[in-house]
Amino acid sequence: MRDFVELGLQAGRVNDGFTNVSDILRRLGVIAPDGALTNAATVAFYKAPSAYPGMKLGLLAGNDKLD
């Protein structure tokens, strides 16, 4: 998380430095109202998102589920 914030600071996309993980995740909007991580947080920050039990991933060839 610190590396992520540091890269954001260097790119000018993050205004403040690292405070704590919860604050950064909240500011990114990747914590659900019940406090759980969203799928976006899981994909972005888990080392093995496919091992996260609450997520199903799929790759679609187009904008519909037919392909």
Side-chain angles (χ1 to χ4, degrees):
M1 189 59 67
R2 288 182 192 277
D3 291 343
F4 174 80
V5 172
E6 183 59 35
L7 288 171
L9 286 167
Q10 291 173 10
R13 303 189 120 218
V14 175
N15 326 7
D16 302 323
F18 186 88
T19 53
N20 62 56
V21 172
S22 297
D23 180 52
I24 297 298
L25 293 172
R26 183 188 52 75
R27 290 193 296 172
L28 290 170
V30 294
I31 295 181
D34 66 356
L37 293 176
T38 64
N39 287 348
T42 302
V43 170
F45 298 113
Y46 266 59
K47 291 184 190 264
S50 61
Y52 185 68
M55 182 180 354
K56 294 179 183 178
L57 300 173
L59 178 63
L60 304 176
N63 291 331
D64 53 39
K65 295 181 181 180
L66 299 175
D67 295 329

